[in-house]
Amino acid sequence: MRADAQRNVDAIAAAAADCLSRDPEASVADIAKAAGVGRVTLYGHFPSRAELVDAAVARAITDGHAVLDAVDLDGDPRAALARLVDASWELVNRFRSLLLAAQRTLPPGRIQELHQEPADRMRRLLERGRAEGVFRTDLPTSWLITTMQNVMHGAADEINADRLKSADAARYISTTVLAALTPPGHRVP
Amino acid sequence: MRADAQRNVDAIAAAAADCLSRDPEASVADIAKAAGVGRVTLYGHFPSRAELVDAAVARAITDGHAVLDAVDLDGDPRAALARLVDASWELVNRFRSLLLAAQRTLPPGRIQELHQEPADRMRRLLERGRAEGVFRTDLPTSWLITTMQNVMHGAADEINADRLKSADAARYISTTVLAALTPPGHRVP
DNA sequence: GCTAACTCGTACATCAGTGTTCAAGTTATT
DNA sequence: AATAACTTGAACACTGATGTACGAGTTAGC
C-alpha cells in the first residue's frame, strides 16, 4: 500500500469518528467531504458504511484505553471510583453520538464487545469495594454498572438539550453514583 | 363524519401506538396493515407520518395519566416515591419505543411538553421530601428527576437486550433511586 | 333504494441514501 | 522517466420509504 493511500485511510477514519460524534446519521458523502477525499476513494478503502463505522469506533476505543489506563484505581474504592467515573464521563460525553451510530449499524454482539473492556474495569473496582464493605451487595454488579452508564449517558443527553451545563455534570454524576452504591444502613458520603 | 370512519381513525391510532411501541421505525404501511386498513385510507385521516405519531403519543399520554392519577402520593415521601416510581416504570417500559419514535419525528419542543406533566408530578413529591429532610438538597431537583428517568430508560434497554428480567427491574429501580436521593450523612434505607 | 361518504388496490412521482462503474487524471515509488 | 497505485467526478442502478392520483367498489344513513 502506498504512503498516500495509508494517509487517506487514516484521514477517513478520523473524519468518520469526528462526523459521527457530531451527527450519528452523517452520510458517507459527508464523511468523505470532511476527510477531503472523493466518495469513490472512500469506498475504495471501506467497502461499506458498516465497516466505516466500525473503523471509527475502533479509533475511539483506542483513545479511550489511553485515558482510562491513566486512572489510578488504588486506595479508597470510593475515591478511585470517583476518579474512574470522571474519566469515563469524559469519554462518554465525547463519543456518545458515535456509539449511537454504532448501535444503528453494527450488530448487537459487536456493541457488547465494545463495552466489555471498560465495564470489566469498572467491575473489578466495584468488587473490591464490595469486599471492603463500602459498596452495596444487595443488587447485582451488572445492574450497578448499567446504572452508572445510564446516568452518564443521560447527562450527555441533557447537555445536548442545553438543560445541563457541561461544567456541572462531572460533580453531579459522581455524587449521584456514589450515593447509589452506598450499602443500605450506611451513611451517604 | 360517518361512524365507520370514526372507528377507523381510532383503530389506526391504536395500531400506531401498538406498532410503534414494538418498533419505533414501523412504517406507515405496517401500521395500516395492523389497523386492518388500506394505506390510502390511513392517509385520508392522517396527512403525514408525523401527525400519526403525534396521535399515537397522545393516546399513550392519556393512558399514562390514568395510571399515575391512581398513585397515592401522601404519607412518607420515600414510600410515596417508591410507589410513583413503580407506576412510572410500568409506563416507561410499555411506551419507551414509542417515545423513541416520537423523538425521531416530532420537534424537540413537543417532546418537552410530553415529559412536562409526569416530571412535575415527580417534582412536587420530591420537593415535599426535601422540605421534610428525607431527600437530598445538594443537587438540583431537575438533575434528580433526570436521573430517575435515566435509570428507568436504561432498565428498559437492558430488558430489551435480554440482560435483565422484567420481574427484577421494579425492585432494582426503586432501591437504586431511593439511595441516590438520600441526603449526604443520612443512612441509606 | 339513493346518495354521499368512505374504502380499496394499483400505480406512480419523489427523495435520500448506498454502492458500482468507467474513463481520465495525478502521484508515489523504483 | 516508466509504471503501477491511487484519486477523481459524473453517471447509473437499487432500495425503501413517503405521499399522491385515480377509478371502481362498498357501506352508512336518511
Side-chain angles (χ1 to χ4, degrees):
Chain A
M1 176 177 272
R2 238 168 62 179
D4 58 343
Q6 183 59 57
R7 241 178 307 146
N8 273 337
V9 170
D10 271 19
I12 292 169
D18 191 53
C19 289
L20 293 171
S21 289
R22 274 186 274 104
D23 173 14
E25 298 179 31
S27 72
V28 173
D30 294 336
I31 293 169
K33 188 183 292 180
V37 125
R39 205 165 59 95
V40 184
T41 305
L42 190 154
Y43 274 108
H45 296 300
F46 300 91
S48 77
R49 175 174 228 278
E51 303 232 14
L52 183 56
V53 172
D54 207 287
V57 171
R59 255 181 110 71
I61 293 285
T62 307
D63 284 14
H65 274 256
V67 172
L68 295 182
D69 278 339
V71 177
D72 171 24
L73 295 182
D74 299 329
D76 174 33
R78 284 180 296 203
L81 188 104
R83 287 192 293 271
L84 183 54
V85 165
D86 278 354
S88 304
W89 160 244
E90 197 210 311
L91 294 176
V92 168
N93 195 26
R94 187 161 8 138
F95 293 125
R96 91 186 226 318
S97 168
L98 174 57
L99 276 198
L100 222 156
Q103 276 162 359
R104 284 185 202 168
T105 46
L106 267 37
R110 191 89 180 88
I111 309 286
Q112 182 79 356
E113 275 177 55
L114 301 177
H115 277 79
Q116 196 69 35
E117 199 279 342
D120 279 349
R121 213 180 279 256
M122 211 51 113
R123 167 172 281 115
R124 281 191 296 276
L125 176 56
L126 212 54
E127 275 164 3
R128 182 164 74 85
R130 280 159 72 123
E132 296 183 19
V134 299
F135 294 147
R136 71 191 314 159
T137 54
D138 60 335
L139 293 175
T141 317
S142 57
W143 166 258
L144 297 177
I145 292 174
T146 323
T147 299
M148 290 191 271
Q149 288 174 346
N150 291 334
V151 170
M152 290 192 266
H153 281 269
D157 289 339
E158 289 299 296
I159 287 179
N160 250 36
D162 260 326
R163 286 192 294 267
L164 175 62
K165 277 180 294 183
S166 193
D168 293 329
R171 183 173 70 85
Y172 290 0
I173 293 169
S174 52
T175 306
T176 307
V177 164
L178 281 178
L181 291 181
T182 304
H186 284 51
R187 294 186 190 281
V188 170
Chain B
M1 175 177 275
R2 240 167 61 177
D4 58 343
Q6 183 57 57
R7 243 179 305 143
N8 274 337
V9 170
D10 271 17
I12 291 169
D18 191 52
C19 289
L20 293 171
S21 289
R22 274 187 273 104
D23 173 13
E25 298 179 29
S27 72
V28 174
D30 294 336
I31 294 169
K33 187 183 296 179
V37 124
R39 205 165 60 94
V40 183
T41 304
L42 191 154
Y43 274 108
H45 295 300
F46 300 91
S48 75
R49 173 173 230 278
E51 303 232 14
L52 183 56
V53 172
D54 206 287
V57 171
R59 257 182 107 78
I61 293 285
T62 307
D63 284 12
H65 273 255
V67 172
L68 294 182
D69 278 338
V71 178
D72 171 23
L73 295 182
D74 298 329
D76 174 34
R78 285 181 296 203
L81 188 104
R83 287 193 293 271
L84 183 54
V85 165
D86 278 354
S88 304
W89 160 243
E90 197 209 310
L91 294 176
V92 168
N93 195 26
R94 183 158 15 133
F95 294 125
R96 93 187 225 318
S97 168
L98 173 58
L99 275 197
L100 222 156
Q103 275 162 1
R104 284 184 202 170
T105 46
L106 267 39
R110 191 89 180 86
I111 310 286
Q112 182 78 358
E113 275 177 54
L114 301 178
H115 276 80
Q116 196 68 36
E117 199 278 341
D120 280 348
R121 213 180 279 255
M122 212 47 114
R123 169 171 280 115
R124 281 190 295 275
L125 175 56
L126 212 53
E127 274 164 3
R128 182 165 75 86
R130 279 159 74 122
E132 296 182 20
V134 300
F135 293 149
R136 71 191 313 158
T137 55
D138 60 334
L139 293 175
T141 318
S142 57
W143 167 257
L144 297 177
I145 292 174
T146 323
T147 299
M148 290 192 271
Q149 288 175 345
N150 291 334
V151 170
M152 289 192 267
H153 281 268
D157 288 339
E158 288 299 297
I159 288 179
N160 250 35
D162 260 326
R163 286 192 293 267
L164 177 61
K165 278 180 295 184
S166 194
D168 293 328
R171 184 173 71 84
Y172 291 179
I173 292 170
S174 53
T175 306
T176 307
V177 164
L178 281 179
L181 291 181
T182 304
H186 284 54
R187 293 185 190 283
V188 170

